Amino acid sequence: MPHIEITNDLPGISGLMAQRPDTGRVLSAVAETLLRGGPSPLSRGERELIAAYVSHLNRTDFCADSHGAFAAAQLDGGAELVAAVRADVATAPVSPLLKALLAVAAEVQAKAAPVSDEAIAAARAEGATDVHVHDTVLIAAAFSMFNRYVNGLATDVPADPAFYDFAAELIVEHGYGAALAT
């Protein structure tokens, strides 16, 4: 049961954004910029995978499952790849660069402290540029905030797993702004 009255039937952050469109528009724009817009050496699917992984580590089922579905819809390997990353990054079938960046994201998720020199060196050894590191840290930090928003207010989680597939179609095709308008 959510800690605040939500006067719509939308789960997770979707309900919160619809409830408070003034802040919802801003949060939606942040997600759009980080995960879909702007130049990045990371594909949209890789950015969504980082968001899903951080959300998984934060035990935020709505965000982990949503962004996992969004990543799966945009990455070769689909849902199986996302499940493998959530189960064990070290053995997941992703590039060494992405494994190193997920380790960076995990450090950001775990504590509000500088990412270790070792994690950055490992990412650099796999070819990470300043932009790779920047984007990874910013996505991980933003999703730690989004996750705390969703969990802190005890939002509802969809009972039907098909919700995530529907949401993935909407987000992949039209972006985060369209989802808020719906």
Side-chain angles (χ1 to χ4, degrees):
M1 176 93 161
H3 292 312
I4 63 172
E5 180 182 6
I6 298 179
T7 58
N8 60 68
D9 294 331
L10 298 171
I13 201 167
S14 305
L16 296 173
M17 289 177 159
Q19 185 74 19
R20 290 289 309 269
D22 55 331
T23 56
R25 279 188 296 278
V26 174
L27 295 174
S28 179
V30 169
E32 180 72 23
T33 301
L34 294 178
L35 302 176
R36 295 177 45 85
S40 178
L42 297 167
S43 72
R44 287 179 175 178
E46 290 168 331
R47 290 182 266 177
E48 292 285 2
L49 186 61
I50 293 167
Y53 181 62
V54 167
S55 298
H56 168 71
L57 295 175
N58 280 323
R59 296 183 183 99
T60 308
D61 293 338
F62 178 81
C63 297
D65 292 345
S66 295
H67 293 281
F70 307 163
Q74 299 177 83
L75 292 172
D76 291 338
E80 294 80 20
L81 174 71
V82 173
V85 166
R86 287 172 72 166
D88 183 9
V89 171
T91 61
V94 296
S95 70
L97 172 59
L98 192 51
K99 285 180 186 182
L101 293 172
L102 289 166
V104 168
E107 285 196 22
V108 172
Q109 175 275 333
K111 59 185 183 237
V115 174
S116 69
D117 292 341
E118 294 79 13
I120 298 298
R124 297 264 191 221
E126 297 301 341
T129 65
D130 284 351
V131 179
H132 282 102
V133 172
H134 173 275
D135 291 2
T136 298
V137 168
L138 185 53
I139 292 166
F143 273 82
S144 290
M145 187 247 336
F146 288 142
N147 298 159
R148 282 153 180 77
Y149 182 40
V150 169
N151 284 349
L153 290 173
T155 62
D156 290 328
V157 176
D160 183 358
F163 169 86
Y164 299 107
D165 294 330
F166 170 77
E169 286 180 33
L170 182 66
I171 296 297
V172 170
E173 182 70 24
H174 302 288
Y176 287 91
L180 186 61
T182 305

